[in-house]
Amino acid sequence: MSYKEMGAVASRHLALASLFFLPLEKRIALERRLRGREEYRKLQEADWVLMSWGKSGRTWFRVMLSRFYQLRFNLPTDHMLEFDNFNRLNHAAPKVLFSHNNYMRDYLRNWDNLEHFRGKQVVLLVRDPRDVAVSQFFQWRYRMLPRKKLLNDYPPHGAEIDVFDFVSNEKCGIPRIVDYFNGWAAAMPMLGDDLLLIRYEDMRSDPGAVMRRVFDFTGTPGSADEVTAAVEYAAYDNMKKREAEKQGMRASGQRVKPGDENNPDSFKVRRGKVGGYRDYFTDEQLLAVDAMVEQHLDPVFGYKRA
């Protein structure tokens, strides 16, 4: 963390501790706004933004991006990119904000549009909402801290909810993800050439091609060897192995590791299967799950049948 970021985190904790007497609902709202204020500050400083919904392949993307920047700018290999940590080591390396845009909306009181991204280069990483929602279910069940569940209005810790109920939930499942995607679809004319849409499924098919598009778009094109090395380092089997052995780059001061080493569903790198959501539902449930996307998602993302 930079001193500025450490100061912001300390201030947030002090403010929340001093207001312990407030009802829980108000303290949660305050924490979201404080987190949003710090994220909005970073947005103003960022050279570009990686935007995604949770469980859309952001960690995999971030590992590839970090490895590429380490090679491109001759940086140490211990830590992943964390906004400006690479820039502080080499000013040629960009500052990159990784965001879901949930806290900033609370801070700005802006839930209806994405005007605060106007003038910023945004890489929008998307994944089939059905796969996202199933992956999020396992994240919620096995990895997510109780406090995080409360902060982001997920089902409470310990709740007995099956995967179909979770993905159907308007607050955390497919309906909410579809609404999020549609908001970005509506903002595309406003953002114009400052928005690059990339898909998880295309990264699975040809990660090097997708990453080259990102590097060209953000102004840091690299050599074929640098891109290949980044892709190979972040290959699924390599990441799975490093997570199991608690190796690899650190993220936020800690190495990516499973919630329970004996439970494969608790790993951060779990399956990564395109269309894997179909393995978790009955035929009747699949019809309902597919309808949530077919009937409501903007076709620009390519997840609706033609």
Side-chain angles (χ1 to χ4, degrees):
M1 282 189 183
S2 66
Y3 290 118
K4 186 181 292 186
E5 189 169 2
M6 285 190 288
V9 172
S11 297
R12 185 176 75 237
H13 284 297
L14 285 171
L16 293 170
S18 67
L19 297 172
F20 67 91
F21 54 86
L22 289 177
L24 178 61
E25 182 178 341
K26 290 188 176 181
R27 280 185 282 129
I28 291 295
L30 175 61
E31 181 172 355
R32 289 183 61 86
R33 289 198 297 273
L34 291 173
R35 286 174 177 265
R37 182 177 67 180
E38 173 61 9
E39 191 171 22
Y40 184 68
R41 177 192 69 78
K42 290 180 179 179
L43 175 64
Q44 308 314 302
E45 298 182 14
D47 293 300
W48 63 276
V49 183
L50 188 282
M51 184 62 54
S52 68
W53 188 267
K55 309 307 296 179
S56 295
R58 187 173 81 168
T59 297
W60 176 32
F61 177 93
R62 191 169 153 207
V63 171
M64 288 191 285
L65 183 68
S66 298
R67 193 62 162 183
F68 173 81
Y69 283 165
Q70 289 164 0
L71 296 170
R72 185 69 175 161
F73 300 110
N74 193 27
L75 299 170
T77 60
D78 291 339
H79 291 81
M80 281 197 281
L81 176 63
E82 304 262 7
F83 179 56
D84 66 349
N85 60 334
F86 286 7
N87 177 266
R88 283 182 273 124
L89 295 172
N90 184 339
H91 291 317
K95 299 178 183 179
V96 182
L97 174 62
F98 298 89
S99 176
H100 301 314
N101 193 37
N102 50 351
Y103 300 132
M104 272 194 286
R105 289 188 169 200
D106 285 51
Y107 170 64
L108 297 169
R109 298 292 201 276
N110 181 10
W111 294 278
D112 298 325
N113 62 64
L114 297 164
E115 282 286 335
H116 47 291
F117 290 102
R118 185 187 290 273
K120 284 290 181 181
Q121 280 195 315
V122 178
V123 177
L124 176 62
L125 169 60
V126 299
R127 184 184 183 187
D128 190 314
R130 294 159 289 198
D131 280 331
V132 170
V134 168
S135 187
Q136 193 75 62
F137 168 77
F138 288 104
Q139 174 80 4
W140 165 80
R141 187 168 185 177
Y142 296 117
R143 295 182 59 87
M144 193 178 292
L145 297 174
R147 177 71 179 176
K148 191 71 175 290
K149 295 175 184 178
L150 185 64
L151 187 62
N152 290 291
D153 203 20
Y154 280 91
H157 188 66
E160 290 296 326
I161 297 175
D162 67 19
V163 63
F164 179 72
D165 289 338
F166 185 93
V167 305
S168 303
N169 190 311
E170 292 188 357
K171 292 184 177 181
C172 62
I174 294 171
R176 185 176 178 187
I177 300 167
V178 166
D179 183 65
Y180 175 88
F181 281 15
N182 286 343
W184 281 99
M188 286 179 179
M190 179 264 291
L191 295 171
D193 292 338
D194 285 333
L195 178 69
L196 174 67
L197 174 65
I198 62 174
R199 304 193 330 151
Y200 173 86
E201 294 78 11
D202 297 329
M203 285 206 303
R204 291 288 289 171
S205 176
D206 191 345
V210 173
M211 296 310 292
R212 284 191 292 273
R213 288 177 61 210
V214 171
F215 300 144
D216 289 344
F217 174 75
T218 57
T220 55
S223 69
D225 288 345
E226 289 168 337
V227 174
T228 298
V231 168
E232 289 179 351
Y233 181 87
Y236 177 83
D237 289 342
N238 290 339
M239 287 186 64
K240 192 79 171 177
K241 180 181 179 181
R242 281 194 292 270
E243 182 176 4
E245 297 177 355
K246 300 179 183 177
Q247 298 176 353
M249 290 181 276
R250 292 178 178 270
S252 301
Q254 296 182 336
R255 298 198 188 278
V256 175
K257 59 184 180 180
D260 179 354
E261 295 178 6
N262 297 314
N263 182 359
D265 281 330
S266 77
F267 278 64
K268 181 74 172 177
V269 183
R270 196 175 59 85
R271 290 191 1 160
K273 181 179 178 181
V274 173
Y277 74 92
R278 297 183 181 90
D279 299 338
Y280 296 94
F281 304 112
T282 66
D283 290 344
E284 183 179 2
Q285 289 172 338
L286 273 175
L287 290 174
V289 166
D290 287 341
M292 296 178 201
V293 171
E294 291 290 334
Q295 296 177 12
H296 301 289
L297 181 63
D298 193 292
V300 70
F301 302 104
Y303 296 119
K304 295 175 66 170
R305 289 189 294 267

